[in-house]
Amino acid sequence: MATQLDLQEQEQLDALKAFWNKQGNLITWTLVLGLGAFAAWNGWQWYQRDQAAKAGALFDELDRAARAGDAERAGRVFADLSARYPGTAYAQQGGLLAARTQFDKGQADAAKASLAWVGDHAVEDEMRTVARLRLAALQADGKQYDEALKTLAAATAPGFEALVEDRRGDILLAQGKADEARTAYRSAYQAMAEGVDYRRLIEAKLTALGAAPEASAAAAGASR
């Protein structure tokens, strides 16, 4: 009986050895890859937290400079922030904050550069569109009308259509293109939700151009 058990055990051992010889490398590499992926994931999570913490520290420094009205310092900190941590939310928020501080201190060109960086590098489409709306306004203030219209053409985040068209109307009107401005304002008015107060401002612009929304609607009804 003992001999039979020994033979059974030997057969099981032989079968296990045969299985391991055939599948051992695959199992080993699967374990190695699995453990490696787990380690890489943990490493990536640590790296992301580390980057966010360092970027947050720089943003706090930028915020302090902005509160103090120190545009030079704000610009330097943002340059560091955008160079070292371009993929963080702190960098895109920092660009908007730096631009506002720079503009308030009369540094229009520096503000444009900060906004252009956000417009080109921000991770979120919404943030890129906000930056481009502000950049287009500064370009229009500097009579860079063609550049402003090109900037607006790239402001495409969903939900911003009314603001983009309104800004386009302002630029076209500044160029003396009243008919095109009316078209842009109409698009802005139609895209803006009825309960939003800003819609009244767009209505006022249309009225000043002889195209009050109510009058336009009545004319459209009469033509039917």
Side-chain angles (χ1 to χ4, degrees):
M1 186 67 178
T3 302
Q4 184 179 1
L5 289 175
D6 289 342
L7 288 174
Q8 289 177 345
E9 291 176 356
Q10 186 62 45
E11 289 176 355
Q12 291 173 352
L13 287 172
D14 290 341
L16 180 60
K17 288 178 181 179
F19 173 79
W20 186 256
N21 288 335
K22 185 177 180 179
Q23 303 291 343
N25 285 337
L26 177 61
I27 294 172
T28 299
W29 279 110
T30 300
L31 288 172
V32 168
L33 290 174
L35 292 173
F38 180 72
W41 171 254
N42 281 338
W44 175 249
Q45 291 295 310
W46 175 87
Y47 175 78
Q48 290 288 83
R49 290 193 296 269
D50 181 66
Q51 292 286 288
K54 292 176 179 177
L58 278 176
F59 181 83
D60 288 343
E61 184 178 348
L62 172 55
D63 185 55
R64 288 192 294 271
R67 290 176 183 273
D70 190 343
E72 295 291 344
R73 182 181 165 206
R76 288 195 302 270
V77 176
F78 172 62
D80 192 19
L81 177 60
S82 60
R84 295 171 61 186
Y85 312 106
T88 64
Y90 289 113
Q92 56 192 26
Q93 291 284 358
L96 298 181
L97 182 56
R100 187 184 69 188
T101 306
Q102 291 161 334
F103 177 76
D104 289 343
K105 293 300 179 179
Q107 299 179 7
D109 288 340
K112 290 176 188 176
S114 296
L115 290 171
W117 186 92
V118 179
D120 290 338
H121 297 92
V123 176
E124 299 171 358
D125 191 22
E126 293 81 2
M127 192 64 69
R128 292 195 298 271
T129 291
V130 168
R132 286 165 178 160
L133 278 166
R134 296 182 185 180
L135 175 58
L138 294 187
Q139 290 170 328
D141 287 344
K143 301 187 185 304
Q144 298 173 303
Y145 301 125
D146 290 338
E147 290 85 346
L149 290 173
K150 289 179 182 178
T151 297
L152 284 180
T156 57
F160 287 81
E161 294 85 358
L163 293 176
V164 170
E165 287 302 309
D166 177 61
R167 184 63 45 82
R168 195 190 315 279
D170 292 344
I171 296 168
L172 291 168
L173 189 60
Q175 289 181 298
K177 301 177 180 179
D179 290 340
E180 294 180 46
R182 273 193 293 270
T183 299
Y185 287 140
R186 285 195 189 102
S187 296
Y189 185 82
Q190 292 167 1
M192 185 74 69
E194 292 186 9
V196 179
D197 288 340
Y198 192 83
R199 199 170 192 241
R200 297 178 183 176
L201 177 58
I202 302 173
E203 181 179 349
K205 294 177 183 180
L206 282 168
T207 300
L209 289 172
E214 292 81 0
S216 299
S223 63
R224 294 176 184 174

